[in-house]
Amino acid sequence: MSSNKNALIRYKTLDKCLKNKYKQYTLEDLIDECSEALFEFEGKESFVSKRTVQLDLQNMRSEKFGYEAPIEVYERKYYRYSDPDYSIHNISVNESDLKAMNNAVQILKQFKDFSMFKEMNGVIQKLEDSIHATNQKSIIHLDKNEQLKGLEHIDVLYEGILNKKVLNILYKSFTAKESSNFVVHPQLLKEFNNRWFLICLHKGKMYNLALDRMEDIGFEEKIQFVDKDLDGDEYFKDIVGVTVSETMNPRNVVFFVDISNSPYVKTKPLHSSQEIVSETNEGTIFKICVQLNFELERLLLGFGESLIVHKPRKLRLRMEEKFKGGSLNYENLIISDDEQ
């Protein structure tokens, strides 16, 4: 058990003793109570030292954890709270705090039907009850879609990552004719553009598997888990989207955005590396340093005629090819009279 967990158990135990009006506790009694509490949680003999309990009492008295507990020693022997109504679990909040907490509750309520947050429903209700939250409509509205296919898999995937379990996923990509089994070592869950992906190790290589293409998931208990110890911020730092190449170096992507759309790109950068190269009355030239992937292409194409890629040449030619193909689609489009 972690030292932080041990400390929380001790604080909770000391709080229970110090607010007990019907029993007197010496320091030795408090040590015994803490040792017994840890034994109940760990299932093994656990002795708490005198020094540890003294430090715990000191921490509870201080502002370190926000308790400032009114602990007193009376008759030079016994410990208790000087305020009989005090408990470290009592939360002292002002009206401003209540408003802030109420706003937070309104945001949390937007996730109540989301699979990963179903267990939070009771917690959210308790928060509403404890802060007397109003039934006001949420001022902040988050973009979400609980009906997305594949969300039902998040819980088991999350469990696999958390408990380091190998998964056997029946998966059918958009291009495959039949489903295939992927034995994977799950590392991260990633949301991009309102879709969820599992970042996983499969046959020694990293893959991203879309949750909406997963048909069934099971555990492979006999296979040893390989933990890549991925840091999401570090792993995705050189890309837009979810597709990371282990061999490709990031490239400088230079692109022009016309004057009407430049403010949008300035205020919502396409990537954290974005810089302004130059500005004119016609628009702005930007630069980002990223790997070239499918998601980047889709993002740039979304700006239509208002964006022109200058560098690298390979990406510029890809964009040109896409726009020419789109133009041909419209030129060859035949609309029947009833569709006009």
Side-chain angles (χ1 to χ4, degrees):
M1 185 182 293
S2 69
S3 58
N4 286 342
K5 183 68 172 177
N6 283 345
L8 289 173
I9 292 170
R10 294 196 307 271
Y11 290 147
K12 184 177 180 180
T13 302
L14 290 171
D15 180 66
K16 180 185 70 174
C17 295
L18 295 171
K19 67 182 182 181
N20 189 337
K21 304 172 185 177
Y22 307 103
K23 185 175 179 179
Q24 295 177 313
Y25 289 91
T26 64
L27 183 59
E28 288 71 24
D29 292 330
L30 295 177
I31 293 171
D32 290 341
E33 291 287 342
C34 288
S35 298
E36 186 176 336
L38 287 175
F39 173 77
E40 290 179 5
F41 276 92
E42 292 184 314
K44 61 182 180 180
E45 203 69 36
S46 183
F47 176 74
V48 179
S49 69
K50 179 179 179 181
R51 175 65 175 161
T52 296
V53 173
Q54 286 176 326
L55 285 173
D56 287 343
L57 293 170
Q58 182 180 326
N59 286 334
M60 290 172 68
R61 283 190 178 108
S62 72
E63 299 178 358
K64 187 174 182 180
F65 301 120
Y67 295 148
E68 297 183 79
I71 301 172
E72 67 174 4
V73 181
Y74 64 103
E75 298 180 14
R76 297 185 178 182
K77 187 176 182 180
Y78 303 111
Y79 288 75
R80 69 182 178 190
Y81 289 138
S82 58
D83 179 358
D85 296 323
Y86 179 85
S87 170
I88 62 173
H89 300 296
N90 293 341
I91 301 175
S92 177
V93 293
N94 56 34
E95 186 175 349
S96 177
D97 293 330
L98 287 173
K99 287 182 179 178
M101 290 173 69
N102 186 45
N103 289 336
V105 166
Q106 299 308 318
I107 294 174
L108 283 171
K109 285 174 70 176
Q110 297 189 54
F111 291 96
K112 64 182 176 63
D113 296 323
F114 198 89
S115 177
M116 285 184 69
F117 289 85
K118 283 183 178 177
E119 293 183 4
M120 286 287 292
N121 286 347
V123 177
I124 294 172
Q125 185 59 54
K126 288 178 182 178
L127 278 172
E128 286 193 280
D129 294 341
S130 63
I131 65 175
H132 309 294
T134 62
N135 283 325
Q136 70 180 52
K137 293 181 180 179
S138 179
I139 297 172
I140 300 174
H141 187 269
L142 304 178
D143 186 17
K144 62 185 187 302
N145 183 356
E146 295 91 349
Q147 303 304 315
L148 284 175
K149 186 180 177 182
L151 290 184
E152 67 275 13
H153 300 312
I154 283 187
D155 290 337
V156 66
L157 295 175
Y158 181 85
E159 180 188 345
I161 297 170
L162 185 65
N163 297 316
K164 302 184 187 305
K165 293 185 177 182
V166 178
L167 303 176
N168 190 327
I169 301 176
L170 185 62
Y171 189 82
K172 185 178 181 181
S173 69
F174 287 115
T175 57
K177 293 182 179 179
E178 296 182 356
S179 304
S180 301
N181 285 95
F182 283 70
V183 177
V184 304
H185 304 255
Q187 308 292 324
L188 294 170
L189 281 165
K190 169 75 170 177
E191 186 270 340
F192 175 71
N193 200 23
N194 220 359
R195 289 186 76 200
W196 284 86
F197 299 85
L198 175 70
I199 312 304
C200 56
L201 182 69
H202 173 64
K203 294 183 178 180
K205 294 183 179 180
M206 296 303 297
Y207 283 75
N208 62 77
L209 303 180
L211 268 64
D212 56 17
R213 308 307 300 166
M214 295 179 182
E215 298 178 350
D216 190 42
I217 304 173
F219 291 102
E220 292 284 351
E221 302 289 354
K222 295 182 180 180
I223 301 178
Q224 185 175 357
F225 183 84
V226 177
D227 189 355
K228 299 293 286 185
D229 194 26
L230 295 185
D231 179 310
D233 291 335
E234 180 66 23
Y235 185 71
F236 295 111
K237 70 181 178 64
D238 291 330
I239 68 158
V240 171
V242 296
T243 307
V244 178
S245 169
E246 297 183 76
T247 58
M248 182 189 298
N249 291 322
R251 302 283 303 276
N252 284 327
V253 177
V254 180
F255 55 95
F256 167 83
V257 180
D258 66 25
I259 194 67
S260 298
N261 292 274
S262 291
Y264 296 100
V265 180
K266 287 180 182 178
T267 55
K268 188 184 178 184
L270 306 193
H271 187 260
S272 59
S273 64
Q274 182 171 297
E275 300 176 11
I276 294 176
V277 177
S278 62
E279 293 185 81
T280 67
N281 292 333
E282 295 180 349
T284 306
I285 294 179
F286 297 92
K287 179 178 73 174
I288 58 176
C289 186
V290 294
Q291 291 185 2
L292 307 184
N293 62 13
F294 172 75
E295 296 96 303
L296 174 65
E297 288 185 16
R298 291 292 297 267
L299 178 62
L300 297 175
L301 286 168
F303 284 88
E305 75 284 358
S306 64
L307 183 148
I308 304 171
V309 172
H310 288 185
K311 299 178 182 179
R313 182 173 181 273
K314 177 182 177 181
L315 180 59
R316 185 179 76 245
L317 293 177
R318 283 276 297 167
M319 296 285 286
E320 183 180 346
E321 179 185 347
K322 294 283 186 180
F323 277 115
K324 284 181 178 178
S327 178
L328 285 174
N329 286 339
Y330 279 99
E331 289 177 12
N332 298 329
L333 182 65
I334 299 175
I335 303 295
S336 61
D337 291 338
D338 58 343
E339 290 179 300
Q340 295 183 11

